[in-house]
Structure formats: C-alpha cells, structure tokens
Amino acid sequence: MLHVLLVRYTAPIDQVTPHVPGHVAYLERWHADGTFLLSGQTVPDSIGGVILAVGPREHVEKAAAEDPFAVAGVAEYEIVTVDPGRVRDDLRALLPKSH
C-alpha cells in the first residue's frame, strides 16, 4: 500500500526546533529502509510536513509513532492510505509488487 503522512505541528515552532536533529535522523532511518519514498516541508513550512510511504499500514503507523516530533507532542500525524489506480511506469518500481 501507499500512504500519505501529513505531519502537522501542534506547538509553536520554537518548541519544535529542538527536536529537528532527531527528526532528521528518524527520516534518514526510514528512508534508508525503503519505507519512506519522499519527505519534505509544507509551504509555508510553519504547517509541518508530508511523507510518502509504502508498506503495510501497521508498519507505517509504527514509524509515525516513533517520530521525535510525535513523541515530544509537538506534531501529530494523519495517515491517508491510497490504493493507486494509475501509476506512471517510472514510478511503478517504487511501489509494492501488487501495483
């Protein structure tokens, strides 16, 4: 499955900032294992960020719960699961084999 993770700050940015190094390390870990395909800040960046992830929803929920932002209570996640109907050929290789 494909998942869009919406990360929304729930605290002022000055309370989020101390957790950025841990959040970056967290992103790098989940990108390295192939769960996260894309991550980035929203525009404007004061809203939070977006992550595109693949795998079973339970696995992605576990990953979201481990984010230092979530652990510290300065951000919350909304996970939207998508069943891709049409996929560009150059992106198909990034998705689980069922698509």
Side-chain angles (χ1 to χ4, degrees):
M1 280 290 164
L2 181 68
H3 312 276
V4 178
L5 287 67
L6 305 172
V7 186
R8 292 191 180 93
Y9 298 141
T10 57
I13 198 69
D14 64 323
Q15 292 177 26
V16 174
T17 302
H19 304 284
V20 169
H23 176 73
V24 169
Y26 154 84
L27 291 172
E28 289 174 356
R29 187 176 92 232
W30 289 100
H31 272 283
D33 92 341
T35 299
F36 292 173
L37 302 178
L38 173 149
S39 59
Q41 289 189 297
T42 58
V43 177
D45 62 1
S46 60
I47 297 169
V50 174
I51 300 168
L52 187 60
V54 293
R57 184 176 173 105
E58 297 78 21
H59 178 70
V60 173
E61 288 172 346
K62 177 183 179 289
E66 293 178 4
D67 183 348
F69 286 171
V71 171
V74 298
E76 63 184 15
Y77 274 76
E78 178 182 352
I79 301 173
V80 178
T81 299
V82 179
D83 185 11
R86 288 174 288 287
V87 180
R88 288 175 45 127
D89 288 340
D90 53 346
L91 296 179
R92 191 170 308 281
L94 298 175
L95 299 177
K97 297 300 177 206
S98 62
H99 295 283

